[in-house]
Amino acid sequence: MTAILRFAPSPTGRLHIGNLRTALFNWLFAVREAGSFILRFDDTDRDRSKREFADLIATDLAWIGISPHKTIRQSERIALYDAAAEKLKAAGLLYPCYETPDELDRKRKRLAARGLPPVYGREALKLSKDERTALEAEGRKPHWRFLLPNFGADPFAPQRTDIVFDDLIRGETTIDLASLSDPVLIREDGSYLYTLPSVVDDAEMGVTHVIRGDDHVTNTAVQAAIFKALGAAVPRFGHHNLLTTVGGEGLSKRSGALSLETLREEGYEPMAVASLAVLVGMSGSIEPMADLETLGGRLDFAAVSPSASKFDPAELDRLNREIVHGLPYAAVEGRLAAMGVGEPEGETFWLAVRGNCDRVPEAKGWAEIVFGDIAVPAPEDEAEAAFRTTALRLLPEGDVGLQTFKEWTSAIKAETGAKGKALFLPLRRAFTGLDHGPELGPLLPLIGRERLAARLAAPR
Ligand code: GLU
């Protein structure tokens, strides 16, 4: 059986790193099984879903390296959901309800006051045809609930009905259907909540595995019942732990916090983000993976922690730094060109500065120092001023090459007796304006004779 997986975001905002965890669990599993991966936009909520978010979500996934085999939109498949809803209605499994949100709230409060769980009592199921007609004549529109199979002969006497499934990640999981309210599948305005369309699509597309966050465990019991009611095979479900901020708050698509867009704009590498999204909250070390294939080799459902995991930006910085320090020129050529750094010095420049960049955009600062005009700091004292004069006099003749620094510093050392920090720091300050930075030797040919001389002679 070919594995068919899907990632099903609602296009109500940008993806965050927690959504990416779900996307990658599905993508890496699909790739490993030589299966297929469907991107499905759950956009039946007409008020909150936006086409532009769907497009941006696809862009975010492409940045990570996820290229769906197929993309579908629920808003274009309403006829399928209507057909399924009709089937359920005909079987008496989807019934109209007329309570307003306020009335439902009062019902829940009455139950709570009696120490009972806030489970819907199926009062609407008792309505006669005439009562329904009267309510509709009042202007009420029905919402529709699915009758959960949690009773014997009498729907008003629910009995414990355990749905047991072998969760791909959590292992055996049990949900008692009697502990749940009949879920609303269709709103008053006729639009579908995600529950039924998801089942219809999963069935229609032959989805074999559904991997999603553990906030959906209860939905799984409900949806398993709907699959059965529609006569469809129930896919294998897996629920992974969720990511929270360091402060323990949930991530939200609408808040934009830790969105892939922000991370990309801040200059993080996709593999740093992907490695962390998958490996956090999983036993084993969190290391930057070279590519998605290698990351897929680390995907181990048995190693996923049962509790929520904190996403720590410092960890992302560490992974990113490790990746950037080893990035070949080819991986950054376009980005450097956009900063105005290209051939013939591009590669030498990158290899000289990458060890000092936590993120690629930081190369721009080094490019300004190497190729631009810098404000050379005034010498701290007479000795430093004299040192610069001596250094300028001893600048070796001819082109500045990779050997120049060694030759030059030997000459300065021989004349002034300066060594170690006393030799290198004043040069660094004069050449770069800073007290720290990349090795000077490889930078000198890039800065070039003219700028080196001008910086040593800069007005004090
Ligand atoms: N649209 C749902 C969500 O974003 C999909 C859940 C699922 O994967 O079934 O939570």
Side-chain angles (χ1 to χ4, degrees), residues 6-12 19 22 26 40-43 74 194-195 198-199 202 210-213 215-216 219-220 223 237 239 253:
R6 81 325 186 257
F7 172 55
S10 321
T12 53
N19 303 132
T22 310
N26 283 284
R40 184 184 86 202
F41 290 114
D42 286 0
D43 56 355
Q74 292 195 324
Y194 121 94
T195 318
S198 179
V199 170
D202 289 342
V210 174
I211 304 173
R212 54 188 183 180
D215 49 341
H216 283 292
N219 285 343
T220 294
Q223 289 181 319
F237 282 89
H239 298 89
K253 231 197 258 124

Side-chain angles (χ1 to χ4, degrees), residues 32-85:
R32 199 164 73 190
E33 301 289 309
S36 66
F37 174 98
I38 299 161
L39 172 59
R40 184 184 86 202
F41 290 114
D42 286 0
D43 56 355
T44 55
D45 182 339
R46 299 169 198 153
D47 295 335
R48 288 174 39 210
S49 302
K50 301 244 173 336
R51 174 70 193 225
E52 72 200 68
F53 283 132
D55 294 344
L56 292 167
I57 285 172
T59 308
D60 289 340
L61 293 177
W63 175 61
I64 294 291
I66 296 178
S67 43
H69 300 104
K70 189 170 188 165
T71 298
I72 62 168
R73 291 166 212 286
Q74 292 195 324
S75 56
E76 293 168 359
R77 298 165 59 86
I78 303 293
L80 287 172
Y81 315 142
D82 287 346

Side-chain angles (χ1 to χ4, degrees), residues 126-146:
K126 294 182 183 144
L127 295 172
S128 67
K129 194 158 187 293
D130 288 349
E131 284 168 324
R132 290 204 301 266
T133 313
L135 285 164
E136 289 187 21
E138 261 176 40
R140 296 208 190 202
K141 290 204 161 50
H143 55 274
W144 296 79
R145 288 185 190 262
F146 175 66

